[in-house]
Amino acid sequence: VDAGAVDGLTVAAPVLSLALSPDGSFVLVQDDRRAALYDTLARTATEGGTVLEIGCGTAWNLIRLARRHRGLRCEGLDASKAMLETAGRKIAQAGLADRIQLRHGLAESALRTDAPAGAGYDVVFFSYALSMIPGWRQALANGLELLRPGGVLA
């Protein structure tokens, strides 16, 4: 996101992430704060919580997040089978296959059907992917639907 107005929100400086919770609060995370973003996401998750990255690509973020915060379970969703194959190899090489799971699918239709009512992810985040999703508004709506009560969309 560049400086300026974004759907009524004024962004004072270039940022990497806009974290939005269901209660309407948000956190802007600047480019040089990737480690701080991981820490913020991990603090939001409950003990043994689950984080979903939509558009996970080769799992670069998931691997770093899982290494930095050992109590998290991580999941990645991506539209590209080739990216997921690479991600799977990198996750295995990192020794994190027991903590990072991957799914193939589109963000616009990424509804989780296996979770009981009231359950869901502690954190759902998009990194570098939102601008490449044609149905980005639906992807954001789905991200919110995937959250547990009080979870954070980033």
Side-chain angles (χ1 to χ4, degrees):
V1 176
D2 294 321
V6 179
D7 287 341
L9 171 69
T10 300
V11 179
V15 295
L16 181 60
S17 298
L18 171 67
L20 174 68
S21 66
D23 68 2
S25 62
F26 61 91
V27 177
L28 296 176
V29 182
Q30 295 185 3
D31 287 340
D32 60 347
R33 309 265 331 255
R34 177 63 65 174
L37 173 63
Y38 295 151
D39 292 343
T40 299
L41 296 179
R43 276 194 307 274
T44 301
T46 59
E47 183 63 31
T50 305
V51 173
L52 171 66
E53 180 178 17
I54 297 178
C56 67
T58 61
W60 193 89
N61 288 311
L62 294 173
I63 291 169
R64 277 142 193 86
L65 186 59
R67 282 182 178 155
R68 192 170 177 93
H69 300 283
R70 301 197 183 278
L72 291 179
R73 291 176 296 116
C74 300
E75 294 183 24
L77 175 78
D78 204 278
S80 169
K81 288 182 180 181
M83 288 287 215
L84 291 173
E85 288 172 9
T86 300
R89 285 193 301 275
K90 290 183 176 205
I91 291 166
Q93 289 169 352
L96 295 168
D98 60 327
R99 294 194 27 238
I100 302 175
Q101 304 301 310
L102 300 172
R103 286 195 294 153
H104 178 254
L106 298 176
E108 300 93 328
S109 58
L111 293 177
R112 185 175 179 169
T113 58
D114 61 343
Y121 296 100
D122 294 284
V123 176
V124 174
F125 74 103
F126 295 81
S127 182
Y128 306 113
L130 199 55
S131 65
M132 295 181 275
I133 300 171
W136 65 269
R137 284 185 170 87
Q138 183 61 52
L140 286 173
N142 287 348
L144 286 171
E145 285 284 320
L146 295 169
L147 292 171
R148 67 163 171 76
V152 171
L153 178 67

